Amino acid sequence: MPFNIPIALTWLRIAMIPLLVGLFYLPEAWTASGWRDCVAALAFIVAAVTDWFDGYLARRWNQTSAFGAFLDPVADKLMVVAALLILLNLGRVDLLIALVIIGRELTISALREWMAKIGASSSVAVHWLGKFKTAAQMVAIPCLLYWQPIEGVSTRLVGSILIVVAAILTVWSMCYYLKKAWPEIQRRS
């Protein structure tokens, strides 16, 4: 297993998940001032930045690896799922939205794995729809974690709108990927 800075950043993202979840197990007296929500939002932002940065560094320094290509999306999905479950528990995201986003992640991950196994992974390569979905999620989730206004701007409203946009893009991108894979699915049925 290779170890380099891009992979270390990916492992950092995975290590931040218990920190993020653990914040919401702190006693209520410790978190009344909004401190917990601020730290959780910042942790998620750091994770989102390392997601972009590890991929950039791996390509820039020619340190891409099969293990890194496997671990990076796993880290992303684990962080998003953990955050969505926290938000669901706090009543800041709707159950249907969380199920749609998590269900899509599982479905497309399984589809990509299967397509790679049959040698057709290029037909389900990352598309701009998936990138926009990810961007909407990565802005919505810290807004929903923070939950306090910033300079008069309601992070609740911004996060709520963007998580709905992310859910719509989630369904749209899932349909796109399934449509691209459908010929192979039919051929192998």
Side-chain angles (χ1 to χ4, degrees):
M1 172 177 65
F3 193 80
N4 52 39
I5 292 174
I7 288 179
L9 289 172
T10 304
W11 279 115
L12 173 66
R13 232 173 24 257
I14 292 170
M16 289 178 71
I17 295 167
L19 166 71
L20 183 66
V21 174
L23 286 169
F24 293 91
Y25 282 93
L26 292 175
E28 190 68 33
W30 294 12
T31 62
S33 66
W35 172 85
R36 174 198 66 191
D37 293 353
C38 182
V39 172
L42 286 173
F44 193 88
I45 290 167
V46 167
V49 169
T50 64
D51 177 28
W52 174 83
F53 201 55
D54 66 10
Y56 170 79
L57 290 178
R59 289 184 298 277
R60 173 93 180 187
W61 295 343
N62 197 27
Q63 293 181 342
T64 58
S65 67
F67 181 71
F70 156 76
L71 190 61
D72 183 65
V74 169
D76 301 343
K77 286 161 186 39
L78 287 172
M79 190 66 154
V80 167
V81 168
L84 285 172
L85 292 175
I86 289 165
L87 292 169
L88 187 60
N89 187 52
L90 294 171
R92 297 180 186 176
V93 73
D94 187 74
L95 175 63
L96 180 61
I97 288 174
L99 286 174
V100 163
I101 293 172
I102 294 169
R104 181 263 190 204
E105 297 301 340
L106 293 171
T107 302
I108 299 306
S109 292
L111 177 67
R112 283 192 172 128
E113 181 181 342
W114 181 71
M115 294 295 280
K117 194 177 288 188
I118 64 170
S121 59
S122 62
S123 60
V124 288
V126 175
H127 186 263
W128 65 266
L129 276 170
K131 290 184 180 201
F132 281 147
K133 181 266 311 171
T134 299
Q137 272 179 192
M138 295 305 181
V139 175
I141 290 172
C143 285
L144 293 170
L145 286 168
Y146 185 63
W147 205 244
Q148 303 298 318
I150 299 174
E151 298 293 322
V153 176
S154 171
T155 60
R156 292 177 188 196
L157 180 60
V158 171
S160 296
I161 291 169
L162 285 176
I163 203 72
V164 169
V165 168
I168 292 166
L169 291 173
T170 291
V171 172
W172 187 3
S173 66
M174 183 175 71
C175 291
Y176 170 82
Y177 291 126
L178 289 171
K179 181 180 177 187
K180 294 292 279 183
W182 190 248
E184 287 295 330
I185 293 169
Q186 283 186 314
R187 191 172 307 133
R188 306 212 182 240
S189 297

